[in-house]
Amino acid sequence: MSTEKTIYKKPTSLTDRPFTYCWGCGHSTIHKLIAEIVDELGIRETIIGVAPVGCAVFAYDFWNFDVTEAAHGRAPVVATAIKRVHPGKTVFCYQGDGDLASIGMAEIIHTANRGENITVIFINNTNYGMTGGQLAPTSLIGQVTTTSPNGRDVKNYGYPIRVSELLAQFEGVKYLERVKVTDAVSVIKAKKVIKKAFMNQINGVGFSMVEVLASCPANWRKDPIESNEMIDGEISKYYQVGVIKDVK
Amino acid sequence: MTSDNKKAFIKGNHAVVEAALDAGCRFYAGYPITPQNEIPEFMSKRMPEVGGTFIQAESELISVNMVFGAVAAGARAMTTSSSPGISLMQEGISYMAGCELPGVLVNVMRGGPGLGNIQPSQSDYFQAVKPGHGDFRMITLAPSSIQEMYDLTFDAFDLADKYRNPVMILADGLLGQLMENVELKRDRKPLYLNTPKPWALTGAKGRDGQRILSLLMQPGVLEKHNFKLKEKYDLITKTEKRFELSGMENNPDYLIAAFGTVGRISKGTIRLLKQDGINTGLFRPITVWPYPYEALKEAAKNVKKIFVFEMNLGQMVEDVRLAVEDSSKIEFYGRPGGGVPTAEELYNFIKGKVG
């Protein structure tokens, strides 16, 4: 008699393709959490994802469910249309901070304001990862990037935008929470929060967005541990983790 | 409106709405811009009546990308705009072409460049037949009457699905605003409407997930995709060229080449010339991409001159030059910036050239 017991296996909603993200990058963890949630909710055959422009454009290589690309910043309106065509399906977009908070600011604001019943996973790593670490609207004051070599100076670059707090004012927005994925405890918490954002859609609650503070060691010029320390320190000091809005 | 065939006295912009709904379009997103505002206005009333989705988008970038999403999900979908808005939509058009998605767009052209004005114009011929970034083509239909606004809009949905390619109706402010009697073909059956779209994103029921994408990073893969697209464009070029050719039975000395509104005005010019005993033929391309080069070449073979008339500084005339071997036979007259020529004006131009 075998005493072997499966305590963990790769989610069905992931393909067999190994993640190609940089070491310590937040995307791999968050992709996997989404795949686990899709499995747990039994929605692999009814979910449609929208990938952004940025590192996570390749999300469709790793998720084994239907995914479309969208032009830079346009994921929420592509998702809106898919949801309107298939109101019974679960539709979400996955966007980085360059995509969502810069070029796609109009798209996310109006989608939120229309109260579209979709789920948005917003990955905030305070820079443009794919293009090599340029300044994003979310970059911290003083943050050195390839386009702010002397650090973010507010006189020249303005202030970092807290998108979740910005969206909180819209009546159409039902759920906003900011999480991080820097250790086991925060990963388990992040999974619960992301799951709730999907459950909200399934239950018809309305527009829900989870902002995930994610690391970008390659562009931050730090190792993964230092990167997580930076999130636990100065990044989550500016972008406070927790519930921002939760309309019951 | 009833479900029967019927005549209606309506604006071109209204005819676009009726044709789209009759062709099975059930998703529309649009943004206000003159002179096409009647389209989103009528659509906001009519689309809910047939159970479809109307969204007033917050920009043309948003409306075209909503159409991208709706057609990716398998619906028939349309957006409409006028020249400056079409400039913004070029992003979404290119993505739809790359992803092989069947979106329908209507451009009710106005004067340009820049904000220009709101008078009728043909200033966007170039951005229709040579659209967007990347190496792609867009089927472009140029109506010249309100009946054609209806018929060609209907055709646009069938063509888009047939080839999985964006299709544009290249109209202008005059065609948008003009009212005429139109036969609404309520019993016309849309082609391909019920043809399965196995590529569409509907949820991965009983299968692996599938993708809609235009990003092909591996060396050689995009090149291969571009060649595959070219095969499609070649097939469209071979199969779908459409034009109106008239007056050739009289062995005319002259030929007018004009599209859309100017093609129609030219018919008045031809009647005036006839009174002087001058026989003139008319070549009016209905598809401006693919352009009916061979038909124009044949029609131009035995004429002394080809008069090319446009409401711009000379855009389609470049295609006429490609079609006609002897460019010295071509005389161009254009009215840019919202100028609409009269039949007499074009008549006087021809008389000035031929004595």
Side-chain angles (χ1 to χ4, degrees), chain B residues 117-182:
Chain B
N117 63 18
I118 58 171
Q119 323 299 355
S121 180
Q122 295 179 327
S123 55
D124 295 347
Y125 183 89
F126 282 157
Q127 75 157 335
V129 304
K130 297 170 168 42
H133 73 276
D135 209 355
F136 77 95
R137 294 294 191 169
M138 173 165 64
I139 300 171
T140 306
L141 307 171
S144 74
S145 66
I146 309 311
Q147 186 66 54
E148 277 192 343
M149 289 285 272
Y150 178 89
D151 291 338
L152 297 182
T153 300
F154 199 121
D155 291 342
F157 285 93
D158 288 351
L159 287 167
D161 273 347
K162 183 177 180 183
Y163 295 105
R164 286 182 60 186
N165 204 72
V167 179
M168 178 175 280
I169 300 295
L170 192 62
D172 63 54
L174 192 147
L175 291 164
Q177 298 300 320
L178 182 68
M179 293 180 81
E180 284 186 306
N181 266 322
V182 178

Side-chain angles (χ1 to χ4, degrees), chain B residues 23-46:
Chain B
C25 173
R26 290 297 177 269
F27 185 98
Y28 173 89
Y31 183 80
I33 183 170
T34 309
Q36 63 85 56
N37 291 317
E38 292 84 359
I39 301 178
E41 286 169 358
F42 283 126
M43 206 51 110
S44 69
K45 177 175 177 293
R46 291 281 286 122

